[in-house]
């Protein structure tokens, strides 16, 4: 029997060996769970989006033909993209520092990151509401330092949503980046320095290209999660700056319009799958979080 652990075997070849060797029964329970809890709900969602209240693509036409709904789509993608970029800019130096610092100190920083992830999301969002309000610590500190003359509007707008979501998403980009950077041989950077590369050239021409798969994996994870976030935009953004997850919840819970809710959810799913396909195309399985 051909070993499936051989690194020289491609994923497609491994799949063929798996099915040909009679091991399909071993993975059938997992496939059944995937079908029941992932495929079937998506099919039901798609069906309701084209059958309620009448059969056809009317829900999609209404969703994509309304300036109000298009603004919500724009808010969602703009905030998600901004959160991804800011998280990447902040997360890369942190991941690099974790990779080169002593293991004991890195363990402490990792514990802090994990603790922030394990803290209740609602509690963290309310904490940011307190910090960002006009009489909050951030505005008071900026006024005390003379940086601003009057409090900034940091809540009930997309600024507050971006800040709150960036804080929540940072661990999801730091951890994949750390794993990739740790595998980079320091001798490569030393060789670049010996060849006359400056620190900036070593960073931009050696380190960043080698860390690109981890960057793309983390960026995709953050962007996709941001597209579907509900609690933080609802509390820090308000109804005037609604995002797509809030719109879907309003369709389903308040308006009991499963057709429109399903259409909005399916559009979000299609965009997510398209982004994943693009990443697989240009970065392969490594950029999607694989080896």
């Amino acid at each position: 029997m051909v070993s499936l652990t051989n690194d020289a075997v491609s994923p497609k070849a491994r799949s063929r060996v798996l099915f040909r060797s009679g091991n399909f029964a071993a993975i059938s329970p997992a496939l059944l769970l995937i079908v029941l809890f992932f495929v079937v709900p998506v099919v039901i969602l798609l069906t309701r989006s084209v059958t309620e209240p009448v059969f056809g693509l009317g829900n999609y036409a209404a969703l994509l033909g309304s300036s109000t709904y298009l603004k919500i789509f724009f808010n969602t993608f703009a905030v998600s993209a901004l959160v991804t970029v800011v998280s990447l800019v902040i997360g890369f130096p942190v991941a690099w520092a974790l990779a080169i610092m002593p293991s004991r100190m890195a363990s402490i920083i990792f514990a802090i990151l994990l603790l922030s992830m394990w803290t209740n999301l609602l509690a963290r969002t309310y904490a940011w509401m307190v910090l960002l309000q006009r009489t909050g610590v951030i505005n008071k500190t900026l006024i005390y330092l003379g940086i601003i003359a009057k409090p900034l509007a940091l809540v009930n707008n997309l600024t507050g949503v971006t800040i709150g979501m960036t804080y929540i998403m940072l661990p999801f980009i730091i951890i994949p980046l750390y794993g990739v950077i740790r595998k980079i041989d320091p001798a490569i950077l030393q060789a670049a320095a010996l060849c006359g590369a400056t620190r900036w050239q070593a960073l931009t021409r050696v380190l960043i290209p080698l860390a690109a798969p981890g960057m793309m994996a983390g960026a995709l994870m953050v962007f996709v999660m941001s597209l579907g976030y509900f609690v933080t935009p609802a509390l820090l953004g308000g109804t005037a700056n609604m995002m797509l997850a809030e719109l879907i919840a309003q369709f389903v819970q308040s308006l009991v319009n499963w057709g429109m809710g399903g259409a909005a959810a399916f559009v979000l799913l299609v965009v997510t799958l398209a982004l994943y396909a693009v990443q697989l195309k240009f970065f392969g399985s490594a950029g999607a979080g694989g080896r």
Side-chain angles (χ1 to χ4, degrees):
M1 181 182 295
V2 179
S3 174
L4 295 181
T5 60
N6 188 352
D7 292 337
V9 181
S10 67
K12 291 183 178 179
R14 293 181 189 181
S15 300
R16 289 195 296 267
V17 171
L18 181 64
F19 285 101
R20 290 176 182 176
S21 59
N23 290 331
F24 179 76
I27 64 171
S28 57
L31 292 177
L32 180 61
L33 289 175
I34 292 175
V35 171
L36 287 178
F37 294 103
F38 291 93
V39 177
V40 172
V42 170
V43 172
I44 294 175
L45 192 69
L46 175 61
T47 302
R48 299 191 74 165
S49 69
V50 297
T51 58
E52 298 181 15
V54 294
F55 183 81
L57 300 177
N59 290 321
Y60 293 93
L63 189 67
L64 301 177
S66 169
S67 59
T68 301
Y69 296 149
L70 289 178
K71 180 183 177 182
I72 294 173
F73 273 99
F74 176 79
N75 288 343
T76 302
F77 288 103
V79 170
S80 298
L82 183 59
V83 168
T84 302
V85 171
V86 175
S87 298
L88 194 57
V89 170
I90 298 175
F92 187 89
V94 174
W96 170 246
L98 284 171
I100 63 176
M101 69 174 52
S103 58
R104 185 170 183 178
M105 186 178 297
S107 299
I108 295 174
I109 302 298
F110 253 109
I112 296 173
L113 285 173
L114 293 176
L115 184 63
S116 69
M117 293 176 65
W118 293 339
T119 305
N120 182 269
L121 176 61
L122 192 61
R124 287 185 285 169
T125 304
Y126 274 119
W128 275 109
M129 290 181 66
V130 174
L131 291 172
L132 295 174
Q133 62 184 342
R134 298 180 70 87
T135 57
V137 175
I138 294 178
N139 270 314
K140 285 186 175 181
T141 302
L142 292 176
I143 292 175
Y144 176 78
L145 295 175
I147 298 175
I148 58 175
K150 59 181 181 179
L152 299 174
L154 299 176
V155 290
N156 296 324
N157 52 38
L158 295 181
T159 301
V161 174
T162 303
I163 294 173
M165 289 181 62
T166 300
Y167 162 75
I168 293 168
M169 294 298 174
L170 273 175
F172 296 99
I173 206 164
I174 292 175
I175 293 174
L177 267 176
Y178 169 78
V180 172
I181 293 175
R182 283 280 293 179
K183 294 180 180 180
I184 297 175
D185 190 348
I188 297 177
L189 297 176
Q190 294 173 359
L194 290 174
C195 292
T198 63
R199 291 184 177 182
W200 177 253
Q201 290 174 331
L203 172 67
T204 56
R205 297 186 181 183
V206 180
L207 182 59
I208 290 180
L210 290 175
M215 295 170 64
M216 292 302 103
L220 178 65
M221 186 185 303
V222 169
F223 187 78
V224 170
M225 291 177 64
S226 299
L227 288 176
Y229 244 66
F230 173 75
V231 174
T232 304
L235 294 178
L236 293 178
T239 56
N241 300 285
M242 184 180 294
M243 292 178 64
L244 192 55
E246 300 171 75
L247 178 65
I248 294 172
Q250 188 177 80
F251 278 138
V252 174
Q253 296 177 354
S254 301
L255 304 177
V256 198
N257 189 338
W258 280 91
M260 289 291 289
F266 195 73
V267 169
L268 188 59
L269 176 63
V270 169
V271 171
T272 302
L273 293 177
L275 290 171
Y276 185 73
V278 169
Q279 185 161 6
L280 284 178
K281 172 71 174 178
F282 290 99
F283 294 94
S285 59
R291 290 188 59 178

